[in-house]
């Protein structure tokens, strides 16, 4: 596909804007909406675009889903339980609608893009009015217009690898924003369904990204999170071969106080990127670097293209260039055929690296992926026992790694009131660890300087300076 085919043409975007106008004028259109989001930041950002489009169509947010005229489930299918939870909640809403017959129910996102799911929705979930995949997000106005006018189910899973620019957005937070720099993934890790449901990797034009970042800075955003399934391979297929390191350097020059990014694939983590981070003024000293396993044979079966040794080498390069850097990871336990000794390799890697946090998952077979047909499914009780051991280890180590912050100064971006006290606020420090300090609602969205004074149950507290 060439660039011209990837970017959705302006005429099509105008056509969708016209459908949005027409929906707004329908007397029987929904007046309120509620978006239910599952999964990763990418989905959270898609939900912001969905909310933006719905508001363009004249709808107002409804805090409770059962009160909304239009309810949309933005689904995830990375693991089976995410999928089961979404389908369970959609079915529950069918009952709610008995009291509210005009409610429109929509399901979108990764799960809908799974092979065979469209048929399932058409046959078994007939009460769903509208279903569409990740590639058709920008067509929401047209699809909703059709559904409202015909009263028939609209299902659209047409899968083209496109980029739709300039969609309206209703951001979740005013002080922090997501900024997608690339869509899709070409890595085909053998366990992962993402490349099948989010399509081929495609990067946004760097100047467009810069313009968006400048707009965010002008609107008072203090922190941006750059998003992509593998930001480190940003730029493939773009004229002039831009790199992620180069893009980050340009973004650093804008002056937004805090820049983060995720996710990074260890195989593509370049020395240039480490250098840009070390020299940057606004790039936060934090890195999410999923390792998945600490055993070379399993990493090979996972199609990850790096070894345990190469991973550890990247970690030590990061740590020597950016002392004290916050490190987090993703780990999958019980990949098919994983032996106790191979699992122990992962435990030992965790002991060696000492992450600030780790997202741990039990392997979940996904139809259509390579790993789904591999032998050696690990019994559930073994997987449960392994993940519990891993979590216990991580928690005990975290207590030690977080202790390095005690006595240090940190700057936190306040996200909200603390869950434990109404006279305290919490937010993320530069190293991406959460810190609680005295404060009130007026502090939300502000960057506060504090000194870390205490660590209890893996929670840091500090006092304002
Ligand atoms: N692109 C990112 C990356 O490579 O790290 C994240 C993709 S995925 C949404 C987030 C995490 O889910 C992965 O890092 C992996 O640990 C986990 N994951 C993906 N597929 C899985 C599966 N089939 N079973 C269990 N965990 C899975
Ligand atoms: Fe999935 Fe691997 Fe792509 Fe991440 S890099 S989205 S784990 S295939």
């Amino acid at each position: 596909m060439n660039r011209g085919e990837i970017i959705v043409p302006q005429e099509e975007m105008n056509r969708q804007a016209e459908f949005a106008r027409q929906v707004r004028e329908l007397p029987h259109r929904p007046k309120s909406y509620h978006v239910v989001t599952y999964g990763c930041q990418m989905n959270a950002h898609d939900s912001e675009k969905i909310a933006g489009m719905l508001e363009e169509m004249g709808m107002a947010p409804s805090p409770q889903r059962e009160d909304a005229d239009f309810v949309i489930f933005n689904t995830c299918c990375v693991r089976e339980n995410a999928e089961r939870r979404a389908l369970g909640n959609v079915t529950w809403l069918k009952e709610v609608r008995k009291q509210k017959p005009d409610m429109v129910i929509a399901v979108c996102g990764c799960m809908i893009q799974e092979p065979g799911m469209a048929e399932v929705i058409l046959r078994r979930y007939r009460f769903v009015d509208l279903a569409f995949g990740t590639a058709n997000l920008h067509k929401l106005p047209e699809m909703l217009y059709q559904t409202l006018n015909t009263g028939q189910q609209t299902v659209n899973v047409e899968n083209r690898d496109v980029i739709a620019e300039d969609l309206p957005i209703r951001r979740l937070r005013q002080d922090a924003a997501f900024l997608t720099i690339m869509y899709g993934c070409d890595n085909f890790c053998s366990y992962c369904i993402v490349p099948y449901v989010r399509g081929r990797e495609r990067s946004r034009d760097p100047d467009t990204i810069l313009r968006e970042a400048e707009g965010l800075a002008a609107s008072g955003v203090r922190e941006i999170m750059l998003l992509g399934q593998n930001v480190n391979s940003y730029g493939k297929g773009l004229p002039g071969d831009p790199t992620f390191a180069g893009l980050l350097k340009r973004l650093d020059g804008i002056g937004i106080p805090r820049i983060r990014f995720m996710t990074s694939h260890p195989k593509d983590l370049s020395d240039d990127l480490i250098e840009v981070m070390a020299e940057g003024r606004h790039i936060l000293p934090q890195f999410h670097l999923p390792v998945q396993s600490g055993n070379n044979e399993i990493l090979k079966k996972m199609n990850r293209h790096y070894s345990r040794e190469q991973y550890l080498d990247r970690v030590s390069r990061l740590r020597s260039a950016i002392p004290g850097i916050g490190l987090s990871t993703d780990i999958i336990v019980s990949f098919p055929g994983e032996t106790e000794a191979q699992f122990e390799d992962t435990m030992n890697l965790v002991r060696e690296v000492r992450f600030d946090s780790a997202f741990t998952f039990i392997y979940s077979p996904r139809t259509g992926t390579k790993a789904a047909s591999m032998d050696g499914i690990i019994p559930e009780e073994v997987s449960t026992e392994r993940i519990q051991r891993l979590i216990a280890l991580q928690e005990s180590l975290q207590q030690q790694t977080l202790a390095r912050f005690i006595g240090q100064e940190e700057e936190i971006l306040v996200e909200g009131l603390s869950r434990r006290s109404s006279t305290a606020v919490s937010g993320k420090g530069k190293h991406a660890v959460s810190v609680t300090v005295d404060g009130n609602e007026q502090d939300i969205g502000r960057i506060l300087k504090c000194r870390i004074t205490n660590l209890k149950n893996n929670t840091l507290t500090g006092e304002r300076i």
Side-chain angles (χ1 to χ4, degrees):
M1 248 177 146
N2 66 37
R3 245 357 242 171
E5 289 171 311
I6 290 177
I7 310 287
V8 177
Q10 192 55 48
E11 304 86 76
E12 173 59 18
M13 298 307 286
N14 295 345
R15 209 170 73 84
Q16 293 303 326
E18 176 55 22
F19 275 114
R21 194 189 61 74
Q22 290 182 29
V23 170
R24 216 167 39 229
E25 285 175 5
L26 289 175
H28 62 291
R29 69 168 166 81
K31 307 287 186 299
S32 59
Y33 73 90
H34 185 94
V35 188
V36 186
T37 310
Y38 301 89
C40 63
Q41 278 89 349
M42 201 69 96
N43 258 19
H45 192 32
D46 281 349
S47 288
E48 292 182 323
K49 294 177 189 165
I50 291 168
M53 285 189 274
L54 295 174
E55 292 191 11
E56 288 268 302
M57 291 185 259
M59 295 180 220
S62 160
Q64 302 296 333
R65 70 183 81 164
E66 50 273 39
D67 297 334
D69 299 335
F70 180 84
V71 181
I72 181 161
F73 293 86
N74 188 9
T75 61
C76 166
C77 61
V78 168
R79 285 167 293 276
E80 196 188 352
N81 54 6
E83 198 170 300
R84 226 182 295 139
R85 223 155 31 100
L87 287 172
N89 283 326
V90 174
T91 309
W92 171 79
L93 210 61
K94 181 185 172 188
E95 294 308 308
V96 175
R97 191 165 58 181
K98 288 185 180 151
Q99 318 302 322
K100 200 174 177 344
D102 290 337
M103 179 189 267
V104 178
I105 301 177
V107 185
C108 69
C110 295
M111 189 182 82
I112 298 300
Q113 208 87 44
E114 266 185 279
M117 188 49 84
E119 290 74 33
V120 171
I121 297 285
L122 283 168
R123 268 187 289 112
R124 282 200 264 143
Y125 292 82
R126 287 212 193 109
F127 60 93
V128 169
D129 301 292
L130 183 57
F132 57 95
T134 51
N136 302 303
L137 197 70
H138 62 287
K139 293 190 183 155
L140 175 57
E142 180 178 1
M143 293 182 289
L144 185 56
Y145 182 78
Q146 265 175 17
T147 303
L148 293 175
N149 270 338
T150 63
Q152 282 174 4
Q153 200 182 37
T154 305
V155 176
N156 190 344
V157 287
E158 178 201 8
N159 198 357
R160 287 193 57 226
D161 297 332
V162 293
I163 296 178
E165 294 291 2
D166 298 325
L167 285 173
I169 286 189
R170 166 73 136 88
R171 289 207 318 270
L172 290 168
R173 286 172 61 179
Q174 294 315 305
D175 56 328
F178 295 124
L179 202 175
T180 305
I181 62 164
M182 61 198 296
Y183 296 91
C185 181
D186 280 351
N187 285 307
F188 291 94
C189 300
S190 64
Y191 50 82
C192 185
I193 199 157
V194 170
Y196 303 89
V197 295
R198 285 210 171 254
R200 296 291 64 72
E201 182 177 305
R202 49 213 190 270
S203 296
R204 289 179 72 200
D205 174 68
D207 293 336
T208 311
I209 295 172
L210 259 286
R211 262 201 310 279
E212 185 172 333
E214 282 161 358
L216 291 169
S219 72
V221 163
R222 327 295 321 274
E223 178 176 306
I224 52 171
M225 164 74 92
L226 308 175
L227 292 180
Q229 295 298 345
N230 175 15
V231 291
N232 298 20
S233 68
Y234 170 81
K236 262 198 284 169
L238 286 181
D241 296 322
T243 62
F244 181 55
L247 177 73
L248 203 53
K249 197 170 179 171
R250 287 181 70 188
L251 288 165
D252 190 44
I254 289 180
I256 291 182
R258 293 155 67 110
I259 303 176
R260 299 183 193 280
F261 53 87
M262 75 184 305
T263 298
S264 294
H265 195 305
K267 78 175 164 62
D268 298 313
L269 202 184
S270 68
D271 287 343
D272 281 354
L273 173 59
I274 297 176
E275 198 182 310
V276 167
M277 283 187 77
E279 289 174 357
R281 288 189 307 139
H282 306 293
I283 306 161
L284 297 189
Q286 173 239 318
F287 217 101
H288 183 65
L289 194 61
V291 65
Q292 314 297 0
S293 166
N295 175 270
N296 282 337
E297 211 173 309
I298 295 289
L299 285 171
K300 201 154 185 218
K301 282 169 73 178
M302 286 178 163
N303 197 31
R304 289 289 287 179
H305 296 281
Y306 56 84
S307 65
R308 171 195 179 95
E309 294 71 26
Q310 283 164 334
Y311 182 89
L312 291 172
D313 174 63
R314 301 289 194 281
V315 167
S316 67
R317 280 174 203 227
L318 279 168
R319 282 191 166 146
S320 56
I322 308 151
I325 187 169
L327 276 181
S328 55
T329 198
D330 292 349
I331 297 170
I332 298 178
V333 306
S334 292
F335 186 79
E338 184 188 70
T339 63
E340 179 57 27
Q342 289 170 329
F343 171 66
E344 267 305 323
D345 283 344
T346 300
M347 295 280 277
N348 282 330
L349 182 133
V350 169
R351 285 185 189 103
E352 196 170 334
V353 177
R354 292 167 175 261
F355 296 102
D356 287 325
S357 64
F359 298 91
T360 52
F361 311 105
I362 293 177
Y363 167 72
S364 169
R366 305 284 59 211
T367 309
T369 61
K370 205 158 172 219
S373 56
M374 287 181 188
D375 294 333
I377 289 294
I378 310 294
E380 202 178 316
E381 58 280 12
V382 175
S383 303
T384 308
E385 193 267 337
R386 279 184 191 167
I387 201 161
Q388 281 169 354
R389 263 158 67 201
L390 179 60
I391 292 170
L393 173 66
Q394 173 58 27
E395 279 180 358
S396 71
L397 293 172
Q398 210 159 304
Q399 189 70 15
Q400 298 165 30
T401 53
L402 294 184
R404 77 182 186 282
F405 291 109
I406 295 178
Q408 302 286 317
E409 280 187 18
E410 255 289 6
E411 277 180 7
I412 65 164
L413 177 59
V414 177
E415 287 175 29
L417 289 175
S418 156
R419 264 180 277 156
R420 297 202 181 92
S421 157
S422 57
T423 57
V425 290
S426 65
K428 288 238 165 63
K430 289 183 164 189
H431 300 79
V433 293
S434 293
V435 181
T436 302
V437 294
D438 285 345
N440 58 40
E441 253 168 18
Q442 262 130 44
D443 293 317
I444 297 172
R446 290 175 58 195
I447 293 177
L448 298 182
K449 257 203 167 110
C450 62
R451 186 178 306 285
I452 310 281
T453 50
N454 198 9
L455 170 65
K456 200 173 162 199
N457 300 331
N458 282 339
T459 305
L460 292 166
T461 46
E463 48 190 36
R464 293 163 75 145
I465 311 178

